[in-house]
Amino acid sequence: MTIPFKIAILGGDGIGPEVVAEGVKVLRAVEALLPVIRFDLVEHAVGAGEFLRGGDPLPGATLEKMKEADAILLGAMGLPSVRWPNGVEMTPQIDIREKLDLYNGVRPIHLYHELHTPLKGYGAAGQRTIDFVIIRENCEGLFSERLTPRPAGRDFETDTMKITRRGAERICREAFKLALKRRQHCTLVDKANVLPSMAFLRKIFDEVARDFPTVTTDRVYVDAMALFLVQRPEAFDVMVTENMFGDILSDLGAGIIGGMGMAPSADLGETHGVFQPSHGTAPTIAGKGIANPIATILSVAMMLEWLDHPETIRGARLIESAVGKVLAEPTHRTADLGGKLPTTKMGDLVCQALG
Ligand code: ATP
């Protein structure tokens, strides 16, 4: 008797399908080591390519099928050449977050090797480490009214930074819960000195903090955080912030551990979870077989942890440790990290290290 987990697979556009293929390869390899578990994979076409084919980047019927899955593994979506009439790119990955209420964006930033970071004095034995998690609110903040229809022909446009009590409370609570499992420190990133919406977020963070007396806290303005993440990233454990600040800081975080190809993510709600690399479709390297699949492979590990069965959790640990073993060897680097390994070879190495 095996326990089946249904996984929806959405390769998407650009390098999405290439990196997801490696994630699936690793998932199958770890499945072979977990005799009581079975993964039933169902592929779906979503993204700019699907828009060009069928006129809708996220067909309603596909979304309904995705909801039946226990978890969703996603590559990347959108292409600069495929845009809506108002000029913005198609972003079905953001639509999925909003439609499934995946408010909790979890973005771990972990340095595996000193050669991956542009910062001096990090990563080698005895040096400082980089290991923190950005919790990004995914369903409101500065993205909240991006789909609101606007009158045509105005000579101004606005975007609204919307923070609700419910949205702020639940994301702060998730950040504190995660801090309890880690180094018990939680940082709020805001702009409370200037924006009333951010002062409101800070008030709610302070209220939630009272329920977690063992977790130490600090509050940092987002501009200062951009500085501190370069100067002393080791000072942070869990940080929580609104949607757009989280988007920007995720890329900055990825930049100090080797780039977008090293940064996994999970978008979590009460019932659904989407797991995807933090990067986009990287159109300039798509089809060349050189994309780094590590972010996707680590997202698979996050998915297995979230599925929350003792054996899937064991699988998550196996993948993380295999990635650690592979990346400890300096020649094991894709082009983004200054190496020569092709995408598929990196996936193969992780599979071999699993055993
Ligand atoms: P989006 O807006 O969809 O998040 P983006 O415009 O931020 O996308 P990305 O597609 O994430 O851009 O790419 C940013 C940079 O990182 C590009 O130089 C890209 O080539 C590089 N990059 C992204 N992902 C990878 C990867 N997996 N391997 C190697 N390089 C990558």
Side-chain angles (χ1 to χ4, degrees):
M1 250 301 267
T2 54
I3 303 166
F5 288 94
K6 192 168 176 181
I7 312 293
I9 306 288
L10 284 67
D13 306 305
I15 61 169
E18 299 169 45
V19 291
V20 161
E22 299 313 302
V24 167
K25 193 193 273 179
V26 172
L27 185 64
R28 286 301 188 205
V30 84
E31 181 184 39
L33 302 172
L34 308 171
V36 296
I37 300 292
R38 193 181 82 223
F39 297 113
D40 296 332
L41 309 186
V42 187
E43 283 190 41
H44 300 288
V46 176
E50 176 58 18
F51 170 80
L52 295 175
R53 200 195 59 78
D56 186 350
L58 179 61
T62 308
L63 184 68
E64 286 313 306
K65 289 215 186 75
M66 284 160 50
K67 285 185 191 165
E68 292 165 14
D70 295 303
I72 299 164
L73 178 64
L74 191 156
M77 289 170 186
L79 290 174
S81 55
V82 184
R83 293 174 185 263
W84 295 113
N86 68 357
V88 301
E89 275 185 46
M90 322 234 144
T91 52
Q93 72 282 17
I94 301 177
D95 303 339
I96 292 169
R97 279 175 209 152
E98 291 169 358
K99 286 180 198 281
L100 300 184
D101 199 23
L102 307 177
Y103 62 93
N104 181 14
V106 183
R107 280 127 187 270
I109 301 293
H110 179 84
L111 177 64
Y112 279 91
H113 196 289
E114 60 177 314
L115 287 174
H116 299 173
T117 181
L119 303 183
K120 288 195 205 87
Y122 286 88
Q127 291 187 335
R128 291 173 290 179
T129 55
I130 303 175
D131 184 34
F132 60 88
V133 182
I134 299 170
I135 297 292
R136 167 185 175 184
E137 203 295 322
N138 269 341
C139 292
E140 52 183 44
L142 198 51
F143 284 25
S144 63
E145 292 187 7
R146 68 192 182 91
L147 298 178
T148 306
R150 293 123 194 265
R154 295 193 294 186
D155 56 5
F156 69 93
E157 265 315 339
T158 59
D159 291 294
T160 304
M161 176 76 90
K162 182 173 176 185
I163 306 292
T164 66
R165 170 169 285 281
R166 173 174 174 267
E169 259 177 23
R170 65 183 183 171
I171 198 65
C172 290
R173 203 161 285 283
E174 289 304 322
F176 277 98
K177 275 159 56 185
L178 181 63
L180 280 181
K181 295 190 207 154
R182 292 177 46 96
R183 300 195 303 276
Q184 310 252 338
H185 187 69
C186 190
T187 304
L188 172 69
V189 183
D190 65 24
K191 191 68 186 170
N193 50 337
V194 176
L195 301 174
S197 59
M198 294 286 95
F200 182 65
L201 176 62
R202 187 175 284 209
K203 180 167 111 65
I204 290 172
F205 175 87
D206 290 344
E207 285 172 19
V208 174
R210 285 185 215 119
D211 292 340
F212 296 86
T214 59
V215 177
T216 54
T217 58
D218 56 6
R219 293 140 195 82
V220 176
Y221 299 135
V222 64
D223 44 342
M225 185 54 92
L227 175 74
F228 296 155
L229 283 188
V230 175
Q231 286 184 333
R232 48 181 176 93
E234 72 278 14
F236 302 102
D237 178 18
V238 176
M239 63 184 74
V240 59
T241 190
E242 73 83 34
N243 206 338
M244 181 74 186
F245 294 171
D247 190 21
I248 297 168
L249 292 180
S250 301
D251 279 31
L252 177 44
I256 59 172
I257 58 165
M260 300 309 296
M262 293 300 294
S265 83
D267 295 320
L268 308 177
E270 302 306 335
T271 46
H272 299 287
V274 170
F275 301 84
Q276 65 175 119
S278 290
H279 60 73
T281 50
T284 55
I285 60 165
K288 296 185 176 164
I290 58 170
N292 184 350
I294 292 292
T296 310
I297 292 168
L298 289 171
S299 302
V300 169
M302 294 179 81
M303 178 175 83
L304 295 186
E305 168 122 30
W306 183 77
L307 286 170
D308 203 26
H309 182 285
E311 284 294 274
T312 61
I313 294 171
R314 187 163 76 86
R317 295 292 93 78
L318 286 172
I319 295 176
E320 286 161 4
S321 127
V323 167
K325 272 190 238 161
V326 169
L327 295 178
E329 164 57 49
T331 58
H332 290 167
R333 285 184 282 158
T334 40
D336 53 325
L337 299 174
K340 292 200 171 93
L341 275 190
T343 310
T344 53
K345 182 72 184 154
M346 185 62 105
D348 291 344
L349 286 171
V350 175
C351 291
Q352 284 157 22
L354 278 171

